[in-house]
Amino acid sequence: MANIPGELKYSKEHEWVKVDGGRAVIGITDYAQDSLGDIVFVELPNVGDTFEAGDTLGVVESVKAASDIYTPLSGKVVEINRELEDSPEVINEDPYEKGWMVVLELSDPSQVENLLSKEEYEQFLEENA
Amino acid sequence: MDNLKRTPLYNVHKELNAKMVEFGGWEMPVQYEGIIKEHKAVRERAGLFDVSHMGELLLEGPGALDVLQRLVTNDISKIDIGRAVYTPMVKEDGGTLDDLLIYNLGADRYLLVVNASNKDKDLNWLKDHLSGKVNVADKSEDYALLALQGPLAQQVLQKITSLDLKAIKYYHFTMGVVAGIPCLVSRTGYTGEDGFELYCHPEEAEKLWQAVLTTGKEDGVVPAGLGARDTLRFEACLPLYGNELSEEINPLMAGLGWTVKFNKGDFIGKEALAEIKDAGVSHKLVGLKMVERGIPRTGYPVEFNGQEVGWVTTGSYAPTLNANLALAYVKPGYAEEGTELEIVIRGKGLKAAVVPKPFYKRQK
């Protein structure tokens, strides 16, 4: 069973979000990393890039395939996890902590209300996975 | 996963929590613990694969050799009883119908092991080109196929058979008993490692699987899925039908000239292949190594200074070599080692260099 921490928010595209004031840390969920398998490549945006909710934020690639990462929130990239470029397997090992991908400065913090809670994401996985 | 065929080991894979995927009309295990772990286990120790999806066709009758010689490009008269040979089978225009393994069982009987996705096509093609008293029959339901691959394969298998395995040379086989089960034991594989392929009755497959894994446990033998099989064969630059080979691709393009024997007599496609050989191939299969960051994937365009010169047939992160590599068809002028090309990944041309094949070759 996938690990789904209670203090985070989730998207239906299997990203997790940790909201901290006007900023949000984004990564992919334990379910996502497990479905992808061994992650061997990560492409992250540049600091300063701006995105609308639903845009492609980056790409993670497993041995078998490439998958887009979508941002569930609008905002500007203020930090990226450069460590992932050399050690993408960290996402498999620790998706919620060391495997974080980007920090966004939110342009519309009200969008956070559209995200799923732990319980809602759990239910979504049960119905769709 | 509806309407997919299942191997006799389906329940075993489920119990091992394998991730199952569709492959060639079959529901197959793509991985158990992880593709990279399984890949490395095969390179360093040994891995056990269920490849029972492969098709087995039995061609037999007086004159079987002559029929086969006309149907495939390699010289089947060169293989005595107890030997196997790899060969393409091509159409009149030289395009590849399939690539297969042929076992000489003796007494005018040959076992053809074909790709699952091509089995019905192959069977029809063979039936349309039979002559005399030669027959072909689909025996796929009669065989399960397990592959034990890796440097420890012989050592592990020897513990459960009285056959002298070291006497079975590469691309030779023998009939014998393994773990109490009658098998065709063949020293062949699709990983670039030493290893054996074991053909047995489907009802015995589970017993054989468990016997090999139990015996191999102390040596670190693990079950391995189709994911690792693909990365292993890719590093060894063994072609995969559908990627490096197709009806639009002839064996000369694929670098399989060594399997096309023009001096053996007439065969289907000979004329077309001879013309292609004289005129030169339209594309050559090359190895590429990424210079810039990115992973090439099947179908990505290959360019030189922004001009398209080819396409990627297989691309992957290569676990043994820790590099992002590709097999690609490129126009002959761009095939020389060291040539710098671009692979178009998500709209961007990223630098890659032509490198020697195979990417990986085991130490003998």
Side-chain angles (χ1 to χ4, degrees):
Chain A
M1 190 61 216
N3 172 24
I4 308 173
E7 68 274 19
L8 303 177
K9 298 283 190 184
Y10 300 91
S11 78
K12 289 184 178 176
E13 278 79 33
H14 308 288
E15 287 87 21
W16 59 261
V17 177
K18 185 177 177 183
V19 182
D20 184 8
R23 292 187 168 196
V25 189
I26 298 175
I28 65 169
T29 66
D30 185 43
Y31 171 82
Q33 70 76 19
D34 186 62
S35 305
L36 288 166
D38 295 325
I39 293 170
V40 293
F41 185 84
V42 179
E43 193 173 287
L44 297 173
N46 295 314
V47 171
D49 288 353
T50 59
F51 294 96
E52 295 296 318
D55 285 352
T56 302
L57 190 63
V59 178
V60 290
E61 299 200 34
S62 67
V63 177
K64 292 297 284 180
S67 308
D68 288 336
I69 303 302
Y70 302 97
T71 174
L73 303 168
S74 305
K76 187 169 93 175
V77 177
V78 292
E79 224 179 310
I80 57 172
N81 187 356
R82 290 204 178 276
E83 200 199 323
L84 298 180
E85 292 183 357
D86 288 328
S87 307
E89 69 279 5
V90 167
I91 297 174
N92 291 120
E93 291 157 5
D94 192 5
Y96 297 114
E97 296 287 341
K98 289 185 182 150
W100 69 275
M101 298 176 79
V102 301
V103 180
L104 284 188
E105 194 166 81
L106 302 180
S107 55
D108 182 2
S110 73
Q111 288 171 336
V112 171
E113 287 161 32
N114 304 333
L115 299 173
L116 306 177
S117 67
K118 168 192 166 78
E119 290 73 24
E120 288 164 332
Y121 182 57
E122 228 163 34
Q123 196 182 346
F124 174 76
L125 285 185
E126 266 172 41
E127 286 164 7
N128 296 277
Chain B
M1 299 280 210
D2 291 343
N3 303 319
L4 292 181
K5 285 180 269 189
R6 291 172 175 178
T7 79
L9 292 164
Y10 176 80
N11 288 325
V12 174
H13 303 316
K14 282 298 208 189
E15 276 165 32
L16 287 166
N17 278 321
K19 251 179 218 161
M20 307 297 283
V21 294
E22 190 276 335
F23 184 80
W26 291 74
E27 189 175 351
M28 297 298 292
V30 66
Q31 66 165 65
Y32 302 86
E33 293 284 319
I35 293 173
I36 294 177
K37 261 190 204 170
E38 292 161 27
H39 178 110
K40 290 187 171 167
V42 172
R43 289 272 182 260
E44 290 160 14
R45 305 185 301 277
L48 183 63
F49 300 81
D50 174 17
V51 283
S52 301
H53 62 299
M54 300 295 287
E56 287 87 9
L57 308 175
L58 184 68
L59 191 129
E60 62 178 337
L65 173 62
D66 294 337
V67 167
L68 265 184
Q69 287 285 61
R70 268 195 55 77
L71 278 161
V72 300
T73 61
N74 212 332
D75 189 352
I76 309 306
S77 73
K78 291 280 193 283
I79 59 159
D80 300 329
I81 299 169
R83 288 188 60 186
V85 67
Y86 169 81
T87 182
M89 179 161 75
V90 304
K91 301 179 295 178
E92 294 288 357
D93 70 1
T96 311
L97 282 161
D98 202 359
D99 64 330
L100 53 150
L101 217 55
I102 298 181
Y103 290 94
N104 184 353
L105 303 178
D108 293 325
R109 300 167 80 233
Y110 292 87
L111 186 68
L112 282 51
V113 181
V114 303
N115 285 297
S117 54
N118 287 335
K119 190 197 69 180
D120 294 336
K121 178 181 81 172
D122 291 350
L123 189 61
N124 289 330
W125 178 266
L126 292 166
K127 282 180 175 166
D128 287 347
H129 294 86
L130 291 179
S131 56
K133 289 181 174 169
V134 178
N135 286 306
V136 64
D138 183 358
K139 297 285 184 188
S140 305
E141 302 277 308
D142 296 351
Y143 290 100
L145 176 52
L146 274 56
L148 180 64
Q149 299 280 302
L152 300 187
Q154 179 181 308
Q155 173 188 321
V156 168
L157 207 57
Q158 193 62 75
K159 293 177 188 174
I160 49 172
T161 183
S162 58
L163 289 169
D164 181 11
L165 293 177
K166 69 176 182 306
I168 306 174
K169 304 287 179 223
Y170 191 50
Y171 268 77
H172 285 62
F173 71 95
T174 188
M175 301 294 182
V177 175
V178 180
I181 299 155
C183 293
L184 186 160
V185 180
S186 164
R187 195 161 207 147
T188 47
Y190 191 52
T191 59
E193 294 301 326
D194 185 22
F196 295 88
E197 295 184 297
L198 308 171
Y199 298 78
C200 71
H201 193 276
E203 280 177 16
E204 310 268 37
E206 187 169 342
K207 195 177 149 200
L208 183 60
W209 173 275
Q210 303 295 9
V212 174
L213 277 189
T214 306
T215 306
K217 197 166 184 185
E218 60 183 6
D219 288 312
V221 177
V222 298
L226 291 191
R229 185 171 157 88
D230 191 42
T231 51
L232 288 158
R233 73 90 197 163
F234 170 67
E235 285 184 342
C237 291
L238 301 169
L240 173 64
Y241 195 90
N243 291 39
E244 285 75 36
L245 292 170
S246 74
E247 291 192 26
E248 283 69 50
I249 296 170
N250 63 69
L252 302 177
M253 262 175 87
L256 296 174
W258 61 276
T259 65
V260 180
K261 300 290 162 61
F262 289 107
N263 57 4
K264 71 163 180 168
D266 199 24
F267 60 90
I268 296 170
K270 182 178 177 179
E271 212 171 305
L273 289 174
E275 276 173 31
I276 292 163
K277 196 182 177 191
D278 283 347
V281 292
S282 64
H283 292 79
K284 284 185 174 173
L285 190 65
V286 296
L288 292 170
K289 181 177 181 175
M290 292 305 298
V291 176
E292 293 187 274
R293 287 188 79 239
I295 300 182
R297 302 285 181 185
T298 305
Y300 285 4
V302 178
E303 297 184 343
F304 180 77
N305 285 339
Q307 290 269 42
E308 195 160 326
V309 296
W311 71 95
V312 171
T313 54
T314 304
S316 179
Y317 169 73
T320 312
L321 306 153
N322 192 28
N324 294 327
L325 304 172
L327 284 169
Y329 280 112
V330 298
K331 291 179 182 166
Y334 304 92
E336 201 174 315
E337 204 181 309
T339 307
E340 202 160 90
L341 301 169
E342 301 103 46
I343 298 178
V344 183
I345 300 179
R346 291 182 283 279
K348 272 182 289 188
L350 300 177
K351 286 195 185 80
V354 177
V355 294
K357 291 185 298 166
F359 304 128
Y360 169 84
K361 201 164 194 234
R362 77 186 154 98
Q363 312 292 317
K364 302 249 168 167

